[in-house]
Amino acid sequence: MMLVPPWLEPLLSTDFFSVCRTHRDATRSERNMYCLDCAGDAFCYYCRASRHKDHRVIQIRRSSYHDVVRVGEIQKALDIRGVQTYVINSARVLFLNERPQPRSGKGGAHACEICGRSLLDPLRFCSLGCKLVGIKRNGDASFILDDTHQVEGMDGDDDRVEGIGGDQGAARDEDELRVGAGQEMHIRTPHPSHSSNARRRKGIPHRAPFASSSSY
């Protein structure tokens, strides 16, 4: 039984975001597209229109130097159950490959089975690459879609948002999920509300007029 589609490993090993040689002078010449039917190299927006018009194409985005894909695109072709998803710049995404994480003495409640990275939810993997390793190692998961497929950790409202520190204008248009160089992701949590007493300002006391020191 096939557990991994033939295009996945080529996707995970592809280098994205170099400039397309054919359309290098165009405004959208970054090679951030990948065709699941051809399983070849990355290509740009203009190559898609001319060479992959009727193919299954996904767009790769970048967050803090790591490649991500929107859940809405990849879940149509891949069973992503068990992989941690995040909300970045209002888009739910997942990471293609493992991200190095500094070792610390305090670990999170949940961790990736393969690389040990801390997870937000009780899931198994931090990325598609780690799930691939887990499948090859244990054979107890699959990327092949079935009738029971659903995305884990997506029920209910999103009150946990992973955002980007610094200028939010770095996402240049709705088709991109870029962030500024060197910026790290952080989990945004609501600021604790101030007490009503702290917000209430006391009134300014009014002093009585000074009495005259001279007698009449």
Side-chain angles (χ1 to χ4, degrees):
M1 178 181 178
M2 182 176 67
L3 302 177
V4 180
W7 50 262
L8 181 60
E9 290 191 67
L11 166 66
L12 298 181
S13 62
T14 298
D15 292 326
F16 294 96
F17 297 102
S18 61
V19 177
C20 176
R21 294 181 179 179
T22 304
H23 305 100
R24 66 180 63 189
D25 296 327
T27 56
R28 302 178 67 177
S29 60
E30 278 189 329
R31 297 165 65 246
N32 60 357
M33 301 277 184
Y34 190 83
C35 180
L36 306 185
D37 294 319
C38 298
D41 205 354
F43 51 89
C44 76
Y45 170 84
Y46 304 101
C47 291
R48 174 182 184 176
S50 60
R51 305 175 189 174
H52 306 275
K53 184 177 180 180
D54 299 320
H55 295 179
R56 294 178 300 163
V57 173
I58 61 174
Q59 181 175 351
I60 305 303
R61 294 164 169 84
R62 181 158 286 180
S63 175
S64 298
Y65 299 107
H66 297 286
D67 296 336
V68 301
V69 62
R70 283 186 175 177
V71 168
E73 294 185 46
I74 197 65
Q75 69 178 351
K76 299 175 183 178
L78 207 63
D79 185 341
I80 61 173
R81 285 178 292 186
V83 181
Q84 180 71 65
T85 64
Y86 301 87
V87 177
I88 303 176
N89 293 347
S90 301
R92 184 169 287 277
V93 303
L94 51 77
F95 287 85
L96 295 192
N97 292 294
E98 171 188 348
R99 291 170 292 154
Q101 183 180 39
R103 297 292 180 182
S104 61
K106 183 185 297 185
H110 314 293
C112 177
E113 292 181 6
I114 304 304
C115 69
R117 184 177 185 86
S118 297
L119 304 178
L120 302 177
D121 299 310
L123 300 172
R124 299 182 60 187
F125 310 106
C126 70
S127 63
L128 295 179
C130 282
K131 181 174 180 178
L132 176 62
V133 175
I135 291 175
K136 290 183 175 182
R137 181 180 299 175
N138 304 315
D140 60 350
S142 174
F143 277 118
I144 305 303
L145 292 173
D146 56 35
D147 294 336
T148 63
H149 173 69
Q150 67 180 25
V151 180
E152 297 183 48
M154 292 188 64
D155 296 331
D157 296 331
D158 263 332
D159 55 358
R160 181 190 63 255
V161 177
E162 183 164 353
I164 305 299
D167 184 9
Q168 294 298 322
R172 292 177 296 188
D173 60 43
E174 64 181 4
D175 291 331
E176 294 183 339
L177 197 66
R178 276 187 171 279
V179 297
Q183 292 178 337
E184 296 297 329
M185 294 189 304
H186 65 279
I187 299 175
R188 292 204 302 265
T189 55
H191 293 291
S193 59
H194 297 288
S195 65
S196 58
N197 291 336
R199 289 196 303 266
R200 189 182 299 117
R201 297 185 62 185
K202 295 183 179 179
I204 301 175
H206 296 280
R207 297 183 178 181
F210 290 103
S212 175
S213 59
S214 60
S215 59
Y216 289 90

